Amino acid sequence: GAVVSQHPSWVICKSGTSVKIECRSLDFQATTMFWYRQFPKQSLMLMATSNEGSKATYEQGVEKDKFLINHASLTLSTLTVTSAHPEDSSFYICSARGTGDTLRRGYNEQFFGPGTRLTVL
Amino acid sequence: GENVEQHPSTLSVQEGDSAVIKCTYSDSASNYFPWYKQELGKRPQLIIDIRSNVGEKKDQRIAVTLNKTAKHFSLHITETQPEDSAVYFCAASPLGNEKLTFGTGTRLTIIP
């Protein structure tokens, strides 16, 4: 249980185009989803937190108009990188958090997706 | 906000020996401290975690210790094996806040 998927696993696009990445919780309802960015040989940096049905909360320095996040259901969140540029090339990872009741755990663990490698030419 | 520092950045250990990775955090409100193992190009995998009401937790060859007063926590891997080679990240999350702040990572290499 507690499986999170991401699609696509990798994508190459031209500079100036937009790319949408999907994050799905397959066997539990995710009340909150998180989007991270990881550059090569660096740590995971939180970009934004999204709660189902409400606007995402972005971390300082992350442009909300460039990184559009939609959390339309309890199992799906999407990240759209608009007008992508080469500096946006990175590994984007989502994580999903259920509730203790949903996952029969005593605390709220985050479950990570497999990541999406974005390359902007 | 929370700031998590992690040391060392790289660690090479002879197979069978122990490895220790240390992290410090800044926010005294943090109460959840997970450790993740990440292989190249893969997702982070939770290997062990500890909450602030516990000082130590062990799971087979892996253990984590927490010193709340000093605001530091450590990962201990005993009897290391080649498959333990990976990048390890610590993280911290404050009470009532779900956000994880990650450390900078430690590249662990087990020498056969």
Side-chain angles (χ1 to χ4, degrees):
Chain A
V3 179
V4 176
S5 71
Q6 265 183 258
H7 179 79
S9 56
W10 59 270
V11 57
I12 301 173
C13 70
K14 291 182 179 180
S15 186
T17 60
S18 295
V19 174
K20 179 185 282 189
I21 302 170
E22 293 186 349
C23 177
R24 294 182 185 271
S25 56
L26 299 185
D27 52 1
F28 68 101
Q29 292 185 326
T31 52
T32 305
M33 287 184 173
F34 303 87
W35 287 95
Y36 296 85
R37 181 167 51 183
Q38 186 177 32
F39 291 109
K41 297 187 178 181
Q42 293 190 24
S43 187
L44 285 81
M45 298 300 294
L46 180 65
M47 299 175 67
T49 303
S50 74
N51 292 291
E52 184 266 338
S54 61
K55 290 184 178 180
T57 302
Y58 290 81
E59 294 300 299
Q60 193 172 10
V62 178
E63 300 175 58
K64 62 180 181 180
D65 294 330
K66 180 172 180 63
F67 299 99
L68 302 179
I69 292 172
N70 184 280
H71 193 159
S73 76
L74 285 172
T75 59
L76 173 65
S77 176
T78 60
L79 167 67
T80 301
V81 183
T82 63
S83 187
H85 291 286
E87 56 265 32
D88 298 323
S89 298
S90 187
F91 193 48
Y92 292 86
I93 308 176
C94 71
S95 71
R97 184 190 76 87
T99 64
D101 290 340
T102 300
L103 298 170
R104 297 179 185 174
R105 296 176 190 269
Y107 52 87
N108 301 327
E109 178 183 340
Q110 288 187 30
F111 299 92
F112 286 85
T116 297
R117 184 160 302 284
L118 170 63
T119 301
V120 185
L121 302 177
Chain B
E2 176 65 276
N3 181 48
V4 178
E5 294 188 357
Q6 183 171 346
H7 299 281
S9 57
T10 60
L11 179 62
S12 294
V13 173
Q14 205 72 36
E15 181 179 355
D17 288 350
S18 296
V20 180
I21 303 171
K22 298 182 178 181
C23 287
T24 59
Y25 61 99
S26 62
D27 190 344
S28 57
S30 287
N31 73 330
Y32 177 59
F33 308 93
W35 284 90
Y36 294 90
K37 175 183 180 182
Q38 187 180 32
E39 297 178 354
L40 188 62
K42 302 286 183 64
R43 77 185 84 195
Q45 291 184 305
L46 179 69
I47 56 173
I48 197 167
D49 55 14
I50 192 168
R51 294 181 71 85
S52 59
N53 58 347
V54 176
E56 184 174 356
K57 184 176 178 181
K58 189 173 181 180
D59 182 4
Q60 299 182 353
R61 298 187 296 110
I62 296 173
V64 56
T65 58
L66 171 64
N67 183 326
K68 277 198 66 179
T69 304
K71 296 200 195 72
H72 66 69
F73 55 113
S74 301
L75 176 72
H76 304 254
I77 305 174
T78 59
E79 300 172 22
T80 53
Q81 301 167 2
E83 51 266 37
D84 294 330
S85 294
V87 179
Y88 290 80
F89 292 98
C90 62
S93 178
L95 179 67
N97 185 332
E98 305 161 320
K99 297 197 303 184
L100 285 174
T101 300
F102 282 82
T104 48
T106 297
R107 181 171 299 278
L108 175 63
T109 302
I110 306 302
I111 305 166

